[in-house]
Amino acid sequence: MTQSTPTHGSTLDVPLIERAEQTLRDHAARSINQLRELESEMVDMLSDHGTIQEDRDGTRRLIESVRADLTRTQRALHRIQIGTFGQCTACHQPIAPARLAAIPESERCSACA
């Protein structure tokens, strides 16, 4: 875990940032594992001519959802690295610590969400 410090006028304390970072890293690891499993399942489905299109479509949508979630998580980890974690990407105001504790991948404050 990196030693993060609040920047850009953020009122976030280091323990909150460290907890968020660990939560995000754990979530990213789970998402990567889930993607591997789903992609393997999709390969099996594509090779099985008995699999109906609805099953393939459902798995494809699930893969897209997990990828989007992983992207949000990776963006949050990047914001921690560059020191902008906790700053709304829309209005550049601080995101409430309670919101970040509940949803660490939050990119926007409550007003902009």
Side-chain angles (χ1 to χ4, degrees):
M1 191 177 318
T2 58
Q3 289 298 320
S4 305
T5 56
T7 59
H8 303 289
S10 173
T11 58
L12 299 177
D13 62 357
V14 173
L16 173 64
I17 295 171
E18 289 175 345
R19 282 192 307 273
E21 183 176 20
Q22 188 58 52
T23 298
L24 290 163
R25 288 186 185 286
D26 292 347
H27 185 73
R30 283 190 306 274
S31 294
I32 289 168
N33 287 335
Q34 186 178 17
L35 267 177
R36 285 182 184 139
E37 290 173 12
L38 288 168
E39 288 169 344
S40 175
E41 184 178 318
M42 180 60 92
V43 168
D44 292 344
M45 283 182 178
L46 292 172
S47 64
D48 180 4
H49 299 294
T51 303
I52 58 174
Q53 188 63 40
E54 279 183 32
D55 291 341
R56 292 180 190 140
D57 290 344
T59 300
R60 188 175 293 114
R61 282 190 299 273
L62 188 53
I63 288 170
E64 290 169 3
S65 175
V66 173
R67 281 185 182 149
D69 186 47
L70 179 58
T71 298
R72 283 188 300 274
T73 300
Q74 290 170 330
R75 284 195 311 250
L77 286 167
H78 180 71
R79 287 192 304 279
I80 288 172
Q81 291 175 345
I82 64 173
T84 60
F85 181 77
Q87 180 182 356
C88 178
T89 59
C91 71
H92 306 289
Q93 295 299 309
I95 299 173
R99 180 172 174 80
L100 290 170
I103 312 167
E105 67 275 11
S106 295
E107 294 182 349
R108 295 178 177 215
C109 65
S110 296
C112 294

